[in-house]
Amino acid sequence: MDRKTRNRYETRARVLKALAHPSRLMMVDELARQERCVCELTEMVGADMSTVSKHLSILRNAGLVDMEKRGAQVYYSLRVTCVTGFFHCLEEVMRTAAEEQLELVAIR
Amino acid sequence: MDRKTRNRYETRARVLKALAHPSRLMMVDELARQERCVCELTEMVGADMSTVSKHLSILRNAGLVDMEKRGAQVYYSLRVTCVTGFFHCLEEVMRTAAEEQLELVAIR
DNA sequence: GGAGCACTTGGCCAGTTGGCCAACTGCGCT
DNA sequence: AGCGCAGTTGGCCAACTGGCCAAGTGCTCC
């Protein structure tokens, strides 16, 4: 396992970690529909604005979103559109996992 | 934001968290090619077998892999084939993020 | 049955994460 | 200039993660 290969997995993991939080997923989903300022997202997820701001900076560091200041507000938008398609894949994962659970319950 | 919606994001996040680790990504990538026993994966990632075993149970809990005992060995295989396609999406994310970095450096 | 793999599980520890509060910056309005 | 809103940052704390070691299970082969 050479360093270059290991590096690739670390980079992938960094992007995944950025996505792997319910609030951040919710925001990404919303930003896929339209750009939003921090205050709108804050209301949506129902947490402290400072918390939401930190979530957004995590998404930004991962290269997933863009930000643009406009007056007093900061508007965020989704940079990586293929994220939406990948959610469909995720739903598939979740569905088969759920079926597995059902199976296990049904056996006895 | 109703509970059902919130639930969906939590489930998605659980699957993503299961994927969001370099060693687990490496294993998923390998299992996409062929099934492997724990000892082979252990050698591949270069960690303690107990560590690898725990990683695998995380992937299993997320419904991402299947396991099958055969004699003394336990063979794991990838359950969710669409994961591979989603990695291409990830590469895209990483590429545009890298370009962004280049841009920032090039400006000055 | 006993030795020796192949795994899994529990325990422990260090490092990371996620939340809120409080303090600060910066813009817009009067 | 001064107030107030929008946002970011630092500090702190509780909870979670990931690693190794050690102990336990279960199979195979002698």
Side-chain angles (χ1 to χ4, degrees), chain B:
Chain B
M1 179 57 54
D2 59 275
R3 187 187 321 169
K4 199 169 147 196
T5 309
R6 196 171 290 278
N7 232 13
R8 184 164 71 245
Y9 289 118
E10 273 163 20
T11 314
R12 283 185 184 179
R14 229 171 296 135
V15 177
L16 281 169
K17 280 179 77 170
L19 284 171
H21 187 286
S23 302
R24 294 198 286 269
L25 284 174
M26 189 183 302
M27 294 192 283
V28 165
D29 226 18
E30 179 62 21
L31 295 178
R33 272 188 280 279
Q34 60 198 296
E35 64 169 17
R36 290 289 195 186
C37 66
V38 183
C39 60
E40 289 170 324
L41 293 169
T42 296
E43 188 177 0
M44 192 170 304
V45 310
D48 196 279
M49 184 181 277
S50 72
T51 302
V52 172
S53 176
K54 281 180 186 171
H55 280 315
L56 285 166
S57 87
I58 289 170
L59 290 174
R60 194 153 46 83
N61 282 335
L64 289 163
V65 300
D66 277 329
M67 70 183 283
E68 187 193 349
K69 292 182 201 246
R70 279 214 288 282
Q73 280 99 315
V74 179
Y75 282 87
Y76 282 82
S77 55
L78 191 62
R79 162 189 279 272
V80 184
T81 52
C82 65
V83 167
T84 314
F86 130 71
F87 280 148
H88 295 147
C89 163
L90 256 196
E91 303 292 339
E92 177 72 9
V93 175
M94 287 157 42
R95 206 174 50 71
T96 63
E99 275 163 13
E100 161 112 332
Q101 289 298 325
L102 271 181
E103 230 170 86
L104 283 176
V105 173
I107 279 172
R108 49 223 70 214

Side-chain angles (χ1 to χ4, degrees), chain A residues 39-50:
Chain A
C39 59
E40 289 170 322
L41 294 169
T42 296
E43 189 177 0
M44 191 169 305
V45 310
D48 196 280
M49 184 182 276
S50 72

Side-chain angles (χ1 to χ4, degrees), chain A residues 9 29 79 82 89 91 100, chain B residues 9 29 79 82 89 100:
Chain A
Y9 289 118
D29 225 19
R79 162 190 277 272
C82 65
C89 164
E91 304 291 341
E100 161 113 333
Chain B
Y9 289 118
D29 226 18
R79 162 189 279 272
C82 65
C89 163
E100 161 112 332

